Amino acid sequence: MNDVNEEQVYEWLADVKDPEVPALSILDLGIVRNVAVTDNSVNVTITPTYSGCPAMDVISIGIRMALAGHGIKQITIDQQLSPAWTTDWMTEDGKRKLKEYGIAPPNRKAFSSLGLFEEEEIQCPRCDSTHTEMVSRYGPTSCKALYKCLDCKEPFEHFKCH
Amino acid sequence: MKLPYILRLADDALIIGQRLGEWTGHGPILEQDIALTNAALDHVGRARSLYQYAAEVFNQLPKEQQLTYFTSMAIQEKIKAGESIDEDTLAYLRDGWDFRNVLLVERPNIDWAYTVARGFFFDAFNFFYFTALSKSTDATIAAVAEKSLKEVTYHLRWSSEWVIRLGDGTDESHEKMQQAINETWSFTGELFVATDYEAAMTAECVSPNLQQIQTLWTARINEVLDEATLTLPAAGAWMQQGGKAGTHTEELGYILTELQFMQRTYPNMQW
């Protein structure tokens, strides 16, 4: 354990993927809040994206497996709710990877608004047209909404601002 | 007084989550089926965080108090065996009268309009309540509220849009939405009547002042109903209450029968 430091652990965590959006690592997502290395153990603090996100349990297992694979025996994982996760914490690299994967990334600062029937301008990840239309505010996972492109006709998912 | 208050928040979340989950595979179209189950997941996630906290508080009580706190024999047996309880104990092994949720969340789904009406009243309440609760003097409760606020904002936008879409839609959708609003209305009063444990928590600035929430809530409800060309039942209408004190409608029994079946029949089973 002597040669393990926080920086090293962060490098290992870059290999842990979001099981629901495997293009992104948990660092790209911005859910790792802290890493602490003490003599015998590593503690990782993560924050859930959504309260009921079923990926969180899988991500915890993924962290344990990644660290155990590098010989870490004592691993603790804490969940921290506050400050609440926001898509503003997603890295620029993460947004680029999302787009390549075919998911329109969150493209501006997250906000909370009660504006009804409002639609943001979302760019089609395939042809870059902004001539797109929301199909549903909710998608196959909590973090996504469904859109379609009116130019290239491709349906696509949008990682919601949160 | 804090334990019943945490349970009250958690039970609202679990029961509405269970109700919305009943729509799984039955939504009118796939996208809306997914919308309701996504919302259900948010609620159940909040319930988990709060039950974990409630279990922590419960496990610190003196053993004699733990033994008589809940009527459930399954829980009492655990305590006698020297075990501590966890989130699952609270969700799956408590009896109906130990639940503290409002009657509104146990209202059956009935049809799309009723589901939307229940959601609209509850989501609007959650929005203003969690806004205030995120400033709670209890750090754990404040953190859960802060996290949930983002999600309930989304829920409220969704349910408000449906109230408007149906109310200001066809003659038939207008009539059905109005009927659902009328019949759900009497279950909203309880949201704003403080129980003794809520009053105690408000005094400690753990929970918000319900009168202030009611003012904000009423303004929002009226604004959306106006746009939906719908009307509220006359002021002073009879209001149901009891859920927060453990006196429920028979609906809760059916919900728990389904929700708790596995753990009651095959204790400690996992899958």
Side-chain angles (χ1 to χ4, degrees):
Chain A
M1 285 294 295
N2 291 334
D3 50 348
V4 175
N5 56 31
E6 274 95 10
E7 209 173 317
Q8 177 70 70
V9 173
Y10 272 106
E11 271 175 43
W12 294 336
L13 291 178
D15 293 331
V16 181
K17 303 296 179 195
D18 174 350
E20 287 177 343
V21 190
L24 296 183
S25 79
I26 57 175
L27 295 181
D28 292 327
L29 258 181
I31 62 169
V32 177
R33 305 313 303 153
N34 192 42
V35 171
V37 178
T38 51
D39 292 345
N40 303 311
S41 64
V42 173
N43 175 274
V44 180
T45 304
I46 54 175
T47 187
T49 50
Y50 285 74
S51 298
C53 180
M56 295 314 288
D57 290 337
V58 183
I59 286 171
S60 295
I61 295 168
I63 292 173
R64 281 181 193 283
M65 286 176 64
L67 298 185
H70 290 283
I72 309 292
K73 296 205 170 58
Q74 289 197 33
I75 305 156
T76 50
I77 298 168
D78 291 330
Q79 280 206 20
Q80 182 186 324
L81 291 179
S82 177
W85 177 81
T86 158
T87 40
D88 296 346
W89 294 348
M90 189 184 285
T91 62
E92 289 307 312
D93 203 33
K95 290 178 188 172
R96 184 185 53 76
K97 288 185 203 165
L98 261 188
K99 184 168 184 283
E100 281 171 11
Y101 190 67
I103 298 175
N107 55 4
R108 54 165 177 69
K109 290 281 176 192
F111 78 129
S112 281
S113 151
L114 287 180
L116 303 180
F117 300 104
E118 274 177 8
E119 285 191 30
E120 311 174 44
E121 190 178 87
I122 303 297
Q123 201 176 31
C124 170
R126 186 170 171 272
C127 73
D128 292 337
S129 163
T130 50
H131 190 209
T132 61
E133 183 180 83
M134 185 170 68
V135 178
S136 172
R137 286 202 187 282
Y138 290 87
T141 66
S142 306
C143 52
K144 287 176 280 183
L146 299 176
Y147 278 76
K148 72 177 172 195
C149 177
L150 299 174
D151 281 338
C152 76
K153 311 295 182 201
E154 189 76 4
F156 64 91
E157 293 171 354
H158 165 52
F159 203 109
K160 296 186 280 209
C161 277
H162 190 70
Chain B
M1 289 293 185
K2 193 172 267 184
L3 185 53
Y5 179 65
I6 305 167
L7 287 172
R8 130 125 205 76
L9 297 176
D11 291 341
D12 265 11
L14 179 71
I15 302 302
I16 193 72
Q18 180 74 6
R19 272 297 189 221
L20 293 175
E22 287 173 15
W23 273 104
T24 311
H26 299 279
I29 53 169
L30 183 61
E31 286 77 9
Q32 298 308 328
D33 190 299
I34 288 171
L36 289 184
T37 42
N38 263 291
L41 202 57
D42 293 337
H43 291 302
V44 174
R46 181 170 78 254
R48 284 192 63 186
S49 299
L50 290 163
Y51 282 137
Q52 285 164 10
Y53 185 37
E56 208 180 292
V57 173
F58 180 89
N59 288 329
Q60 284 164 5
L61 294 175
K63 197 171 169 184
E64 316 78 68
Q65 208 181 333
Q66 287 184 1
L67 267 173
T68 53
Y69 203 91
F70 299 120
T71 59
S72 161
M73 283 177 64
I75 297 181
Q76 291 175 1
E77 289 303 317
K78 262 183 189 287
I79 310 296
K80 281 181 202 158
E83 292 173 36
S84 52
I85 67 159
D86 62 13
E87 51 178 305
D88 288 341
T89 314
L90 292 169
Y92 295 127
L93 298 180
R94 266 181 312 146
D95 295 325
W97 40 74
D98 280 328
F99 275 73
R100 297 277 173 266
N101 59 278
V102 289
L103 301 177
L104 176 66
V105 295
E106 57 197 57
R107 294 296 299 147
N109 292 335
I110 305 179
D111 66 15
W112 192 251
Y114 279 87
T115 299
V116 166
R118 182 189 61 201
F120 172 56
F121 290 138
F122 187 60
D123 297 343
F125 174 77
N126 280 344
F127 176 76
F128 295 111
Y129 196 81
F130 289 141
T131 302
L133 196 62
S134 58
K135 295 175 187 70
S136 170
T137 51
D138 182 297
T140 307
I141 292 176
V144 173
E146 183 193 341
K147 179 87 207 148
S148 296
L149 179 58
K150 291 184 164 208
E151 293 154 8
V152 302
T153 304
Y154 223 72
H155 302 164
L156 178 56
R157 219 185 297 160
W158 181 91
S159 53
S160 303
E161 286 176 2
W162 269 105
V163 168
I164 294 166
R165 196 175 284 128
L166 295 175
D168 195 17
T170 65
D171 287 347
E172 187 184 359
S173 73
H174 175 89
E175 192 190 324
K176 287 193 165 183
M177 196 62 236
Q178 184 65 62
Q179 189 186 348
I181 293 283
N182 293 349
E183 292 193 14
T184 309
W185 180 246
S186 67
F187 294 92
T188 59
E190 185 186 16
L191 291 166
F192 308 105
V193 181
T195 54
D196 53 352
Y197 59 85
E198 283 174 298
M201 287 299 102
T202 302
E204 292 179 32
C205 298
V206 170
S207 77
N209 176 308
L210 289 175
Q211 269 67 54
Q212 285 167 10
I213 304 294
Q214 185 168 24
T215 308
L216 296 165
W217 181 86
T218 308
R220 181 71 195 173
I221 295 294
N222 279 318
E223 200 180 314
V224 173
L225 289 185
D226 270 356
E227 199 176 333
T229 70
L230 296 165
T231 51
L232 268 191
W238 167 257
M239 288 291 178
Q240 307 282 348
Q241 55 176 309
K244 295 201 281 193
T247 309
H248 293 275
T249 63
E250 69 171 319
E251 297 294 344
L252 185 68
Y254 291 99
I255 295 172
L256 294 184
T257 302
E258 189 165 295
L259 178 75
Q260 299 184 333
F261 169 77
M262 284 298 227
Q263 286 302 325
R264 294 281 201 173
T265 314
Y266 306 99
N268 302 318
M269 71 94 65
Q270 295 191 342
W271 86 95

PDB file of all heavy atoms in Angstrom, chain A residues 120-138:
ATOM      1  N   GLU A 120     -36.021  22.758 -24.827  1.00  0.00           N
ATOM      2  CA  GLU A 120     -34.705  23.333 -25.086  1.00  0.00           C
ATOM      3  C   GLU A 120     -34.318  23.005 -26.522  1.00  0.00           C
ATOM      4  O   GLU A 120     -34.836  22.069 -27.114  1.00  0.00           O
ATOM      5  CB  GLU A 120     -33.620  22.654 -24.252  1.00  0.00           C
ATOM      6  CG  GLU A 120     -33.860  22.487 -22.836  1.00  0.00           C
ATOM      7  CD  GLU A 120     -32.719  21.655 -22.264  1.00  0.00           C
ATOM      8  OE1 GLU A 120     -31.553  21.913 -22.614  1.00  0.00           O
ATOM      9  OE2 GLU A 120     -33.000  20.739 -21.496  1.00  0.00           O
ATOM     10  N   GLU A 121     -33.379  23.776 -27.036  1.00  0.00           N
ATOM     11  CA  GLU A 121     -32.876  23.473 -28.370  1.00  0.00           C
ATOM     12  C   GLU A 121     -31.794  22.404 -28.241  1.00  0.00           C
ATOM     13  O   GLU A 121     -30.735  22.656 -27.676  1.00  0.00           O
ATOM     14  CB  GLU A 121     -32.300  24.752 -28.985  1.00  0.00           C
ATOM     15  CG  GLU A 121     -31.983  24.594 -30.441  1.00  0.00           C
ATOM     16  CD  GLU A 121     -31.457  25.905 -31.009  1.00  0.00           C
ATOM     17  OE1 GLU A 121     -30.239  26.145 -30.928  1.00  0.00           O
ATOM     18  OE2 GLU A 121     -32.265  26.665 -31.532  1.00  0.00           O
ATOM     19  N   ILE A 122     -32.102  21.229 -28.724  1.00  0.00           N
ATOM     20  CA  ILE A 122     -31.161  20.109 -28.608  1.00  0.00           C
ATOM     21  C   ILE A 122     -30.626  19.758 -29.991  1.00  0.00           C
ATOM     22  O   ILE A 122     -31.375  19.688 -30.962  1.00  0.00           O
ATOM     23  CB  ILE A 122     -31.869  18.878 -27.999  1.00  0.00           C
ATOM     24  CG1 ILE A 122     -32.482  19.223 -26.636  1.00  0.00           C
ATOM     25  CG2 ILE A 122     -30.900  17.696 -27.879  1.00  0.00           C
ATOM     26  CD1 ILE A 122     -31.480  19.631 -25.589  1.00  0.00           C
ATOM     27  N   GLN A 123     -29.317  19.552 -30.027  1.00  0.00           N
ATOM     28  CA  GLN A 123     -28.684  19.254 -31.307  1.00  0.00           C
ATOM     29  C   GLN A 123     -28.658  17.743 -31.557  1.00  0.00           C
ATOM     30  O   GLN A 123     -28.304  16.973 -30.662  1.00  0.00           O
ATOM     31  CB  GLN A 123     -27.248  19.780 -31.257  1.00  0.00           C
ATOM     32  CG  GLN A 123     -26.645  20.006 -32.609  1.00  0.00           C
ATOM     33  CD  GLN A 123     -25.252  20.613 -32.492  1.00  0.00           C
ATOM     34  OE1 GLN A 123     -24.523  20.355 -31.530  1.00  0.00           O
ATOM     35  NE2 GLN A 123     -24.868  21.409 -33.468  1.00  0.00           N
ATOM     36  N   CYS A 124     -29.031  17.344 -32.769  1.00  0.00           N
ATOM     37  CA  CYS A 124     -29.003  15.923 -33.125  1.00  0.00           C
ATOM     38  C   CYS A 124     -27.552  15.429 -33.083  1.00  0.00           C
ATOM     39  O   CYS A 124     -26.681  16.027 -33.716  1.00  0.00           O
ATOM     40  CB  CYS A 124     -29.574  15.731 -34.525  1.00  0.00           C
ATOM     41  SG  CYS A 124     -29.325  14.057 -35.176  1.00  0.00           S
ATOM     42  N   PRO A 125     -27.278  14.350 -32.338  1.00  0.00           N
ATOM     43  CA  PRO A 125     -25.895  13.889 -32.241  1.00  0.00           C
ATOM     44  C   PRO A 125     -25.385  13.283 -33.552  1.00  0.00           C
ATOM     45  O   PRO A 125     -24.194  13.114 -33.749  1.00  0.00           O
ATOM     46  CB  PRO A 125     -25.955  12.824 -31.131  1.00  0.00           C
ATOM     47  CG  PRO A 125     -27.362  12.371 -31.088  1.00  0.00           C
ATOM     48  CD  PRO A 125     -28.202  13.529 -31.542  1.00  0.00           C
ATOM     49  N   ARG A 126     -26.297  13.015 -34.474  1.00  0.00           N
ATOM     50  CA  ARG A 126     -25.899  12.359 -35.718  1.00  0.00           C
ATOM     51  C   ARG A 126     -25.582  13.384 -36.819  1.00  0.00           C
ATOM     52  O   ARG A 126     -24.516  13.347 -37.425  1.00  0.00           O
ATOM     53  CB  ARG A 126     -27.026  11.434 -36.181  1.00  0.00           C
ATOM     54  CG  ARG A 126     -26.672  10.576 -37.383  1.00  0.00           C
ATOM     55  CD  ARG A 126     -27.761   9.525 -37.608  1.00  0.00           C
ATOM     56  NE  ARG A 126     -27.556   8.834 -38.868  1.00  0.00           N
ATOM     57  CZ  ARG A 126     -28.037   9.261 -40.024  1.00  0.00           C
ATOM     58  NH1 ARG A 126     -28.731  10.394 -40.075  1.00  0.00           N
ATOM     59  NH2 ARG A 126     -27.814   8.580 -41.133  1.00  0.00           N
ATOM     60  N   CYS A 127     -26.516  14.342 -37.062  1.00  0.00           N
ATOM     61  CA  CYS A 127     -26.299  15.275 -38.176  1.00  0.00           C
ATOM     62  C   CYS A 127     -26.100  16.720 -37.705  1.00  0.00           C
ATOM     63  O   CYS A 127     -25.996  17.632 -38.519  1.00  0.00           O
ATOM     64  CB  CYS A 127     -27.459  15.187 -39.165  1.00  0.00           C
ATOM     65  SG  CYS A 127     -28.970  15.939 -38.563  1.00  0.00           S
ATOM     66  N   ASP A 128     -26.098  16.938 -36.370  1.00  0.00           N
ATOM     67  CA  ASP A 128     -25.866  18.264 -35.790  1.00  0.00           C
ATOM     68  C   ASP A 128     -26.984  19.280 -36.039  1.00  0.00           C
ATOM     69  O   ASP A 128     -26.852  20.449 -35.681  1.00  0.00           O
ATOM     70  CB  ASP A 128     -24.538  18.878 -36.280  1.00  0.00           C
ATOM     71  CG  ASP A 128     -23.346  18.115 -35.741  1.00  0.00           C
ATOM     72  OD1 ASP A 128     -23.502  17.444 -34.687  1.00  0.00           O
ATOM     73  OD2 ASP A 128     -22.274  18.158 -36.366  1.00  0.00           O
ATOM     74  N   SER A 129     -28.086  18.847 -36.632  1.00  0.00           N
ATOM     75  CA  SER A 129     -29.200  19.778 -36.843  1.00  0.00           C
ATOM     76  C   SER A 129     -29.833  20.128 -35.495  1.00  0.00           C
ATOM     77  O   SER A 129     -29.889  19.299 -34.590  1.00  0.00           O
ATOM     78  CB  SER A 129     -30.248  19.112 -37.740  1.00  0.00           C
ATOM     79  OG  SER A 129     -31.477  19.802 -37.636  1.00  0.00           O
ATOM     80  N   THR A 130     -30.306  21.364 -35.372  1.00  0.00           N
ATOM     81  CA  THR A 130     -31.039  21.720 -34.151  1.00  0.00           C
ATOM     82  C   THR A 130     -32.537  21.677 -34.424  1.00  0.00           C
ATOM     83  O   THR A 130     -33.346  22.075 -33.592  1.00  0.00           O
ATOM     84  CB  THR A 130     -30.655  23.132 -33.657  1.00  0.00           C
ATOM     85  OG1 THR A 130     -30.752  24.024 -34.753  1.00  0.00           O
ATOM     86  CG2 THR A 130     -29.256  23.148 -33.088  1.00  0.00           C
ATOM     87  N   HIS A 131     -32.897  21.207 -35.606  1.00  0.00           N
ATOM     88  CA  HIS A 131     -34.294  21.053 -35.979  1.00  0.00           C
ATOM     89  C   HIS A 131     -34.783  19.714 -35.405  1.00  0.00           C
ATOM     90  O   HIS A 131     -34.955  18.735 -36.129  1.00  0.00           O
ATOM     91  CB  HIS A 131     -34.378  21.093 -37.521  1.00  0.00           C
ATOM     92  CG  HIS A 131     -35.769  21.190 -38.049  1.00  0.00           C
ATOM     93  ND1 HIS A 131     -36.138  20.672 -39.265  1.00  0.00           N
ATOM     94  CD2 HIS A 131     -36.893  21.735 -37.522  1.00  0.00           C
ATOM     95  CE1 HIS A 131     -37.421  20.897 -39.469  1.00  0.00           C
ATOM     96  NE2 HIS A 131     -37.908  21.539 -38.427  1.00  0.00           N
ATOM     97  N   THR A 132     -34.948  19.688 -34.084  1.00  0.00           N
ATOM     98  CA  THR A 132     -35.290  18.433 -33.407  1.00  0.00           C
ATOM     99  C   THR A 132     -36.537  18.628 -32.554  1.00  0.00           C
ATOM    100  O   THR A 132     -36.942  19.757 -32.281  1.00  0.00           O
ATOM    101  CB  THR A 132     -34.149  17.979 -32.489  1.00  0.00           C
ATOM    102  OG1 THR A 132     -33.930  18.990 -31.497  1.00  0.00           O
ATOM    103  CG2 THR A 132     -32.864  17.739 -33.269  1.00  0.00           C
ATOM    104  N   GLU A 133     -37.117  17.537 -32.112  1.00  0.00           N
ATOM    105  CA  GLU A 133     -38.376  17.609 -31.378  1.00  0.00           C
ATOM    106  C   GLU A 133     -38.348  16.626 -30.205  1.00  0.00           C
ATOM    107  O   GLU A 133     -37.878  15.490 -30.352  1.00  0.00           O
ATOM    108  CB  GLU A 133     -39.492  17.217 -32.353  1.00  0.00           C
ATOM    109  CG  GLU A 133     -40.888  17.303 -31.812  1.00  0.00           C
ATOM    110  CD  GLU A 133     -41.894  16.882 -32.898  1.00  0.00           C
ATOM    111  OE1 GLU A 133     -42.121  15.672 -33.079  1.00  0.00           O
ATOM    112  OE2 GLU A 133     -42.424  17.785 -33.571  1.00  0.00           O
ATOM    113  N   MET A 134     -38.858  17.069 -29.054  1.00  0.00           N
ATOM    114  CA  MET A 134     -38.908  16.167 -27.910  1.00  0.00           C
ATOM    115  C   MET A 134     -40.057  15.180 -28.079  1.00  0.00           C
ATOM    116  O   MET A 134     -41.172  15.569 -28.420  1.00  0.00           O
ATOM    117  CB  MET A 134     -39.104  16.952 -26.611  1.00  0.00           C
ATOM    118  CG  MET A 134     -39.047  16.067 -25.389  1.00  0.00           C
ATOM    119  SD  MET A 134     -39.000  17.008 -23.852  1.00  0.00           S
ATOM    120  CE  MET A 134     -40.651  17.699 -23.885  1.00  0.00           C
ATOM    121  N   VAL A 135     -39.765  13.913 -27.849  1.00  0.00           N
ATOM    122  CA  VAL A 135     -40.808  12.884 -27.912  1.00  0.00           C
ATOM    123  C   VAL A 135     -41.359  12.636 -26.509  1.00  0.00           C
ATOM    124  O   VAL A 135     -42.547  12.469 -26.311  1.00  0.00           O
ATOM    125  CB  VAL A 135     -40.255  11.565 -28.512  1.00  0.00           C
ATOM    126  CG1 VAL A 135     -41.320  10.481 -28.524  1.00  0.00           C
ATOM    127  CG2 VAL A 135     -39.709  11.821 -29.912  1.00  0.00           C
ATOM    128  N   SER A 136     -40.454  12.594 -25.531  1.00  0.00           N
ATOM    129  CA  SER A 136     -40.893  12.380 -24.156  1.00  0.00           C
ATOM    130  C   SER A 136     -39.869  12.954 -23.192  1.00  0.00           C
ATOM    131  O   SER A 136     -38.666  12.865 -23.429  1.00  0.00           O
ATOM    132  CB  SER A 136     -41.063  10.881 -23.886  1.00  0.00           C
ATOM    133  OG  SER A 136     -41.315  10.661 -22.510  1.00  0.00           O
ATOM    134  N   ARG A 137     -40.362  13.551 -22.102  1.00  0.00           N
ATOM    135  CA  ARG A 137     -39.473  14.090 -21.079  1.00  0.00           C
ATOM    136  C   ARG A 137     -38.707  12.984 -20.365  1.00  0.00           C
ATOM    137  O   ARG A 137     -37.754  13.244 -19.659  1.00  0.00           O
ATOM    138  CB  ARG A 137     -40.276  14.847 -20.023  1.00  0.00           C
ATOM    139  CG  ARG A 137     -40.782  16.184 -20.476  1.00  0.00           C
ATOM    140  CD  ARG A 137     -41.078  17.057 -19.278  1.00  0.00           C
ATOM    141  NE  ARG A 137     -41.717  18.307 -19.667  1.00  0.00           N
ATOM    142  CZ  ARG A 137     -41.045  19.337 -20.189  1.00  0.00           C
ATOM    143  NH1 ARG A 137     -39.749  19.263 -20.370  1.00  0.00           N
ATOM    144  NH2 ARG A 137     -41.693  20.442 -20.523  1.00  0.00           N
ATOM    145  N   TYR A 138     -39.207  11.768 -20.459  1.00  0.00           N
ATOM    146  CA  TYR A 138     -38.563  10.646 -19.768  1.00  0.00           C
ATOM    147  C   TYR A 138     -38.073   9.643 -20.794  1.00  0.00           C
ATOM    148  O   TYR A 138     -38.642   9.513 -21.869  1.00  0.00           O
ATOM    149  CB  TYR A 138     -39.548   9.977 -18.814  1.00  0.00           C
ATOM    150  CG  TYR A 138     -39.899  10.819 -17.626  1.00  0.00           C
ATOM    151  CD1 TYR A 138     -40.947  11.744 -17.692  1.00  0.00           C
ATOM    152  CD2 TYR A 138     -39.195  10.713 -16.439  1.00  0.00           C
ATOM    153  CE1 TYR A 138     -41.278  12.530 -16.589  1.00  0.00           C
ATOM    154  CE2 TYR A 138     -39.509  11.493 -15.342  1.00  0.00           C
ATOM    155  CZ  TYR A 138     -40.554  12.394 -15.418  1.00  0.00           C
ATOM    156  OH  TYR A 138     -40.872  13.169 -14.340  1.00  0.00           O
TER     157      TYR A 138
END
